[in-house]
Amino acid sequence: MNQADTSLPSLSHRQLARLRASALLFAGIFVFAPIFASAASNPNAGAESAVRAAFADEPVMIGVARCESDFREFDSAGDPLDGGSGGMIGIFQISEAVHAEAAKALGMDIDTVAGNIAYAKHLYEEKGTAPWLASAGCWSGSADDASLDSNLAPGAVDASVALLQELLNANGFPVATAGEGSLGHESYFFGALTKAAVERFQCANNIVCAGSPQTTGFGAVGPQTRAALLALAQD
């Protein structure tokens, strides 16, 4: 084979430009292929960022998502994460049996990242953190580190409610005589039994003995009731 046979044919500027563009595109495919593969193999990519953006003003719900699912909407097989025997689905472990149809009626699919987050926001706006009471021990902090440094009202879900119940139970104003709320079984939920115990405490200490949590503070823990409770803790 002579030299003429091995030489490249002359190319126009346009042909050279096309070759360069093709080479760059081919190189780009190899550079970005691992990124695309990573996104495809991790269906939960971006889920945590989406939760943080949706609940930027309600950080407690970011904690709920972390505790409920570690910010996962899908399991390792790529199916919607089912975290319990009751069909608890996705990032916020929303009950499929109870909420799937209601969510669909609102245009939300709890089997998707966006739909699970949107419906969790809807639930939070309606009921606060109460739907996630079962995991409150994780996202509300430890009762051992709790303090009565803020007001509490019926419906609250917080570690400080357990401290409130402990003080009431230990000082003659039992929340319950057995089960949840009783001595040694304090809970994170400020329900009707806690409200009734607070009312008895307030009456006995001449703080307030009539009205409601909204009108007079009767049944809620405000500054005066807090001070009286903390005085008991120091005795």
Side-chain angles (χ1 to χ4, degrees), residues 41-183:
S41 63
N42 181 13
N44 294 305
E48 180 175 352
S49 297
V51 170
R52 291 185 180 280
F55 291 101
D57 296 327
E58 299 96 10
V60 65
M61 289 299 289
I62 298 172
V64 168
R66 175 181 57 78
C67 291
E68 291 285 354
S69 69
D70 198 23
F71 302 105
R72 293 176 299 147
E73 176 66 21
F74 304 101
D75 60 22
S76 57
D79 298 319
L81 181 67
D82 186 344
S85 58
M88 310 304 285
I89 302 299
I91 298 171
F92 286 95
Q93 291 293 277
I94 296 168
S95 173
E96 187 171 37
V98 175
H99 295 291
E101 291 304 316
K104 285 182 181 178
L106 294 171
M108 304 167 187
D109 182 356
I110 63 172
D111 287 347
T112 67
V113 170
N116 203 275
I117 293 172
Y119 193 69
K121 198 169 185 70
H122 168 74
L123 281 179
Y124 179 75
E125 289 169 353
E126 279 199 336
K127 303 179 180 180
T129 54
W132 297 275
L133 180 60
S135 63
C138 173
W139 51 261
S140 282
S142 169
D144 294 335
D145 299 325
S147 61
L148 286 180
D149 56 3
S150 60
N151 295 344
L152 292 170
V157 179
D158 194 82
S160 58
V161 176
L163 175 57
L164 166 64
Q165 292 180 352
E166 287 177 12
L167 289 170
L168 291 167
N169 286 334
N171 290 279
F173 303 92
V175 174
T177 56
E180 186 173 314
S182 64
L183 187 62

Side-chain angles (χ1 to χ4, degrees), residues 152-154 190-191 194-196 198-199 202 208 210-213 216-221:
L152 292 170
F190 195 137
T194 305
K195 176 177 178 288
V198 169
E199 289 173 346
Q202 290 172 321
V208 62
S212 69
T216 62
F218 188 47
V221 178

Side-chain angles (χ1 to χ4, degrees), residues 213-235:
Q214 295 76 24
T215 57
T216 62
F218 188 47
V221 178
Q224 192 175 355
T225 303
R226 267 206 328 274
L229 286 163
L230 292 172
L232 291 177
Q234 295 168 2
D235 291 344

